[in-house]
């Protein structure tokens, strides 16, 4: 059964404390791995698409990487405004349950 | 680019009434749109896939007669919650698919049924 699993469920960081979020997947014939950010009461905001192992993409303090079995979302020197739930997803509308990130000032 | 709008952003209705939610892709054409439901602190639950010009495909357990979906054009899909009841209260989110399977989400609609 195709599955996407995210860890940790929740993460609290001090401002400036870098960390990584994990998304592991078991999807046959992966045709992309997507990362989204969701703020409370809002729809998910598209961040990245990764298509092949070894691919990396960056946006401001975020960098997403992909291996054959998992993807990481690295957050460098986070700020309080980075606090949100980060979702990963595979085509076939398979979403992970998300990581709730809280960055403390 | 890749903006998706939803209207209304929130709605309160009485039990037994019907509510229509619109989803529009503003700057691209989407042959496929999706409707999700989200409960507090939970992830997105796919309800149905909407293809322009054809009938929607509903996920198992989703009542097609309660949640009517119409994909009228390449930029518009609507979800009508018919005879709404309090248990239908939820956050409904649509998305539109662009090339390479990328989905772009609307801001969501908060439905409260009294």
């Amino acid at each position: 059964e195709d599955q996407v699993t995210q860890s940790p469920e929740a993460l609290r960081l001090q401002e400036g404390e870098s960390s990584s979020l994990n998304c592991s997947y078991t999807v046959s014939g992966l045709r992309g791995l997507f990362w989204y950010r969701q703020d409370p009461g809002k729809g998910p905001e598209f961040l990245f698409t990764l298509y092949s192992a070894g691919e990396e993409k960056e946006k401001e303090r975020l960098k997403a990487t992909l291996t054959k079995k998992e993807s990481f979302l690295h957050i460098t020197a986070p700020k309080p405004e980075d606090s949100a739930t980060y979702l990963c997803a595979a085509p076939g509308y398979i979403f992970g349950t998300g990581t709730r990130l809280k960055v403390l000032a | 680019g890749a903006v998706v709008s939803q209207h209304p952003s929130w709605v309160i209705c009485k039990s037994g009434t019907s509510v229509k939610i619109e989803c529009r892709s503003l700057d691209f054409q989407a042959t496929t749109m999706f409707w999700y439901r989200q409960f507090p602190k939970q992830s997105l639950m796919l309800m149905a896939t909407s293809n322009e010009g054809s009938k929607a495909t509903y996920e198992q357990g989703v009542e097609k007669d309660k949640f009517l979906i119409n994909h009228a054009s390449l930029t518009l899909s609507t979800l009508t919650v018919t005879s709404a009841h309090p248990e239908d209260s939820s956050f409904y989110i649509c998305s539109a698919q662009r090339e390479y399977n990328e989905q772009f989400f609307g801001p969501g609609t908060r439905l409260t049924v009294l």
Side-chain angles (χ1 to χ4, degrees):
Chain A
E1 181 185 340
D2 293 343
Q3 200 167 3
V4 173
T5 305
Q6 289 187 250
S7 62
E9 268 188 39
L11 181 62
R12 292 167 70 94
L13 299 173
Q14 289 295 131
E15 184 172 4
E17 180 186 1
S18 301
S19 188
S20 296
L21 314 182
N22 177 264
C23 172
S24 62
Y25 61 90
T26 53
V27 176
S28 53
L30 185 70
R31 291 164 284 116
L33 191 290
F34 309 106
W35 282 98
Y36 293 87
R37 168 191 170 131
Q38 187 176 25
D39 292 296
K42 296 187 178 180
E45 174 192 345
F46 176 81
L47 293 174
F48 303 110
T49 306
L50 301 166
Y51 288 103
S52 56
E55 189 175 1
E56 297 184 355
K57 288 193 177 173
E58 286 189 65
K59 180 180 179 181
E60 296 180 358
R61 294 177 292 281
L62 301 176
K63 182 167 81 171
T65 61
L66 182 67
T67 71
K68 288 187 178 179
K69 292 186 178 180
E70 54 193 348
S71 177
F72 293 93
L73 184 64
H74 307 277
I75 303 177
T76 302
K79 297 182 177 182
E81 53 262 42
D82 295 321
S83 299
T85 296
Y86 291 86
L87 298 165
C88 73
Y93 333 118
I94 305 167
F95 277 84
T97 52
T99 293
R100 293 191 309 277
L101 174 65
K102 177 75 174 177
V103 182
L104 305 171
Chain B
V3 179
V4 177
S5 70
Q6 259 182 264
H7 179 80
S9 55
W10 59 270
V11 57
I12 301 172
C13 68
K14 291 184 178 180
S15 187
T17 60
S18 295
V19 174
K20 180 186 282 189
I21 303 169
E22 289 188 352
C23 176
R24 293 181 185 272
S25 56
L26 298 184
D27 52 1
F28 67 100
Q29 293 185 330
T31 54
T32 305
M33 289 185 170
F34 305 91
W35 288 94
Y36 294 84
R37 187 171 179 175
Q38 188 174 35
F39 294 101
K41 296 191 176 180
Q42 293 189 25
S43 194
L44 303 164
M45 183 190 80
L46 179 66
M47 298 175 64
T49 302
S50 166
N51 290 294
E52 189 265 339
S54 63
K55 290 183 179 180
T57 303
Y58 291 82
E59 295 299 302
Q60 194 171 7
V62 178
E63 299 176 58
K64 62 177 73 174
D65 294 330
K66 164 160 279 294
F67 299 101
L68 299 179
I69 291 171
N70 182 267
H71 197 146
S73 73
L74 288 173
T75 60
L76 173 64
S77 177
T78 60
L79 168 69
T80 302
V81 183
T82 61
S83 186
H85 288 94
E87 58 266 29
D88 298 323
S89 299
S90 192
F91 191 53
Y92 292 88
I93 310 174
C94 73
S95 71
Q97 183 166 286
R98 206 174 63 174
E99 63 268 18
Y100 307 115
N101 293 318
E102 292 177 349
Q103 289 188 46
F104 295 87
F105 287 83
T109 297
R110 173 76 56 195
L111 170 64
T112 301
V113 184
L114 303 176

